[in-house]
Amino acid sequence: LNPRVEIANFWSLNGNWHFGAVDQQFNPRPAYHVLKLYAQLFQGEIISTTSQGTTLTSSTLGFVPARTDLSSVVSIASKSQETIRVLVINRHPSRPARVNFQFQRATVFSVILKIALTAEDYFDHQIKVASKKLTSENTSGDDFFVIPAHSISFYEYTIKR
């Protein structure tokens, strides 16, 4: 066993046709889009992110203890040459989150919302997908974005150093 491996999981792409990335006709399901986002995100080096804002409370479930300090918004980012990619998850089931991104030693040239995945319910088979350019050239990078409740958003920034 490799000492760098903390956990290894088996996951089926079809998931017995119920929970996988594709259905019986090989049409993409919500998990497919999430896996695709992670494949796009992990280019270059991972950079640290921090989140501040509202928290969630969860009750005890099995061996998992109750929590009162879960951040409703979590993120992960990567940097490759002049591009920063940020994946943001709003875990709150009913509240949108207002977020902004700030980068050290970099000036934002442009930002594109590559994709936003939202679902009305946890086991919803249909997802809403959006993609649009959010700001024009020479933006300050201090723009606030509203992340829909219960969603994943993927942003791609072009930066200047």
Side-chain angles (χ1 to χ4, degrees):
L1 206 74
N2 186 330
R4 295 184 346 184
V5 176
E6 293 182 14
I7 188 169
N9 295 306
F10 171 78
W11 192 76
S12 172
L13 286 178
N14 66 15
N16 296 325
W17 309 115
H18 295 288
F19 298 107
V22 295
D23 65 15
Q24 292 173 333
Q25 289 76 39
F26 299 101
N27 296 312
R29 301 195 62 216
Y32 169 87
H33 297 287
V34 173
L35 292 171
K36 185 176 177 181
L37 289 179
Y38 275 103
Q40 293 173 7
L41 175 69
F42 293 126
Q43 299 177 37
E45 64 179 298
I46 299 298
I47 57 177
S48 65
T49 63
T50 58
S51 300
Q52 296 176 335
T54 60
T55 58
L56 297 171
T57 300
S58 68
S59 56
T60 299
L61 182 61
F63 293 106
V64 179
R67 298 273 309 262
T68 59
D69 59 348
L70 294 169
S71 176
S72 61
V73 175
V74 293
S75 61
I76 186 170
S78 68
K79 182 178 166 197
S80 175
Q81 298 175 350
E82 303 297 318
T83 302
I84 295 177
R85 294 173 185 86
V86 183
L87 184 108
V88 182
I89 301 172
N90 182 358
R91 300 188 287 195
H92 200 286
S94 60
R95 286 191 192 150
R98 190 169 178 249
V99 301
N100 88 323
F101 306 105
Q102 298 172 345
F103 305 106
Q104 295 178 352
R105 298 181 305 274
T107 302
V108 173
F109 183 70
S110 67
V111 59
I112 298 172
L113 171 63
K114 298 292 279 189
I115 191 166
L117 306 175
T118 60
E120 299 298 322
D121 190 17
Y122 288 111
F123 297 102
D124 198 346
H125 289 251
Q126 300 298 316
I127 57 171
K128 297 174 186 159
V129 178
S131 179
K132 62 182 176 179
K133 186 169 185 176
L134 296 175
T135 59
S136 59
E137 293 182 2
N138 301 317
T139 180
S140 67
D142 294 331
D143 302 314
F144 282 88
F145 302 109
V146 176
I147 310 295
H150 191 228
S151 69
I152 298 174
S153 298
F154 184 79
Y155 296 89
E156 190 169 276
Y157 283 83
T158 302
I159 61 169
K160 293 182 191 176
R161 294 179 202 205

